[in-house]
Amino acid sequence: MSGATGEKVRWGILATGGIAAAFAADLTDLPDAELVAVASRREEPARAFAERFGIPRAYGSWEELARDADVDVVYVATPHTAHHAAASLCLRHGRHVLCEKPFALNATEAADLIALARQQGRFLMEAMWMYCNPLVRRLKALVDDGAIGRVRTVQADFGLAGPFPSSHRLRDPHLGGGALLDLGVYPVSFAHLLLGEPSDVTARAVLSPEGVDLQTGALLSWEDGALAQLHCSLTGATAGGASVTGTEGRIDVPSDFFNPQRFVLHREGRDPEEFTAQRTGGPGDGGFRHEAAEVMRALRAGETESPLVPWESTLAVMRTLDAIRAHTGVRYPQEAASGAVPGRPERAGDDGDGVTSGEEGGVACGEKDSVTPV
């Protein structure tokens, strides 16, 4: 695309699972977006997806989509174990890429993708839609402006009730299963948004028999004394709330902090102030339109990374997720040969291994579904 004002951005979607469908639906709310191609590993699901959303081209291989010169940007919606392969393929063929979260399986893969995008001169962004959400951006602006003073604590949780059957991807280590990478990435990213990368990480987890985390709790700390208490779970539906406490006030997000309807600002000596989301009420009101709009804005501006979801922020979050897994002992088969994830860090006074055994497990396969608001 030339980036001319009014020119539509041509999108391709790689994968046909539930989260790809949710993203496709949200694109309909953006008049400057055109969904022109979709790809799967097999032609049949690609054709069915194309028929559902009126997409003109359906491919039975990732390679065909990556080579399609009439696609400006590809949204990668595979399970995260395939993010590196899928995004790399598209970047090497000159496509810009919006890649689902977590951006990669670990920080090594994330750094490799960013280096490739830089080498190819292509736009690349993690689909951390929370960072593009207008209400979340308003919350961050208030914090940055000192509305609650210096941030001292961040608390956030995200849990799903399950139970997830043995056929589900969340139970499969070969697909990067477990609570942390699918759900915990949100609390970790929320803490990073407000405080940056922590100086220290500690964590505990309950693991399934096959080695994925059923629930994880993490404590992050910063050199200025700030703390973050974070939790994610596949065994119980939490409120999905968050709270940010500063020296002069507090902000509470009652639920769905990653895509909130409202939050409340509390300050000493003042009445609480409520901030609410503005919804369109249209078919693209699922929240993904904000990240898609940011991608298109950046492409028209000739940018290779978004200031809302910068590469260094993505890398910092991946390093923190790696550090949490180093404590809990979660390893994925793809990492066995590469040694990409460092060994568990030593901590003074640590006499445990950060692991408790759970009772659930199983093997899953397939494309990324929409059981979680990815």
Side-chain angles (χ1 to χ4, degrees), residues 5-308:
T5 301
E7 182 181 358
K8 288 192 174 183
V9 175
R10 300 165 300 179
W11 287 85
I13 294 181
L14 195 156
T16 58
I19 197 61
F23 185 85
D26 271 21
L27 279 183
T28 64
D29 202 38
L30 300 171
D32 54 345
E34 183 179 9
L35 185 49
V36 299
V38 61
S40 182
R41 291 187 185 275
R42 296 182 297 113
E43 188 172 347
E44 182 180 352
R47 286 194 178 279
F49 192 96
E51 291 177 6
R52 177 181 175 186
F53 292 102
I55 304 170
R57 298 189 296 282
Y59 298 122
S61 73
W62 296 357
E63 180 87 17
E64 290 175 283
L65 176 61
R67 289 182 176 276
D68 188 339
D70 290 326
V71 170
D72 298 312
V73 56
V74 173
Y75 169 61
V76 173
T78 66
H80 27 279
T81 48
H83 285 178
H84 182 270
S88 294
L89 179 66
C90 293
L91 290 168
R92 288 194 175 95
H93 285 292
R95 308 284 79 78
H96 302 291
V97 172
L98 172 66
C99 184
E100 256 310 330
K101 44 67 36 199
F103 188 63
L105 198 59
N106 51 57
T108 299
E109 287 189 355
D112 185 67
L113 282 178
I114 290 169
L116 179 59
R118 184 177 286 115
Q119 175 187 331
Q120 297 291 110
R122 300 289 92 182
F123 177 86
L124 174 65
M125 188 179 102
E126 180 184 19
M128 181 45 71
W129 62 322
M130 177 175 66
Y131 284 4
C132 301
N133 183 287
L135 198 60
V136 174
R137 292 175 64 185
R138 180 70 175 118
L139 185 155
K140 177 172 169 52
L142 285 168
V143 171
D144 290 347
D145 290 343
I148 60 171
R150 294 176 62 210
V151 175
R152 298 293 79 200
T153 61
V154 173
Q155 297 170 298
D157 67 81
F158 190 0
L160 298 176
F164 295 98
S166 60
S167 60
H168 202 282
R169 66 176 177 83
L170 290 174
R171 301 260 299 267
D172 187 359
H174 293 276
L175 294 177
L180 180 66
L181 293 192
D182 219 85
L183 308 181
V185 63
Y186 285 108
V188 170
S189 295
F190 187 72
H192 272 255
L193 180 67
L194 302 174
L195 289 167
E197 189 169 8
S199 57
D200 187 66
V201 175
T202 187
R204 290 289 185 270
V206 177
L207 303 188
S208 69
E210 60 275 356
V212 304
D213 62 306
L214 296 174
Q215 63 174 337
T216 293
L219 178 66
L220 314 185
S221 59
W222 284 259
E223 291 184 353
D224 70 350
L227 297 173
Q229 298 170 301
L230 313 174
H231 172 253
C232 56
S233 176
L234 298 176
T235 62
T238 68
S243 183
V244 186
T245 302
T247 55
E248 299 174 22
R250 186 182 79 250
I251 294 175
D252 291 331
V253 188
S255 62
D256 296 345
F257 69 89
F258 42 83
N259 185 31
Q261 296 290 325
R262 67 186 185 94
F263 68 79
V264 182
L265 171 63
H266 302 270
R267 290 187 279 192
E268 190 68 29
R270 303 190 191 185
D271 291 335
E273 298 176 61
E274 183 174 89
F275 297 78
T276 58
Q278 300 298 314
R279 302 298 189 190
T280 67
D285 209 13
F288 297 106
R289 62 189 176 94
H290 302 302
E291 66 181 2
E294 170 59 13
V295 170
M296 294 190 291
R297 182 210 61 77
L299 291 180
R300 290 195 171 93
E303 299 170 0
T304 55
E305 65 176 304
S306 165
L308 299 184

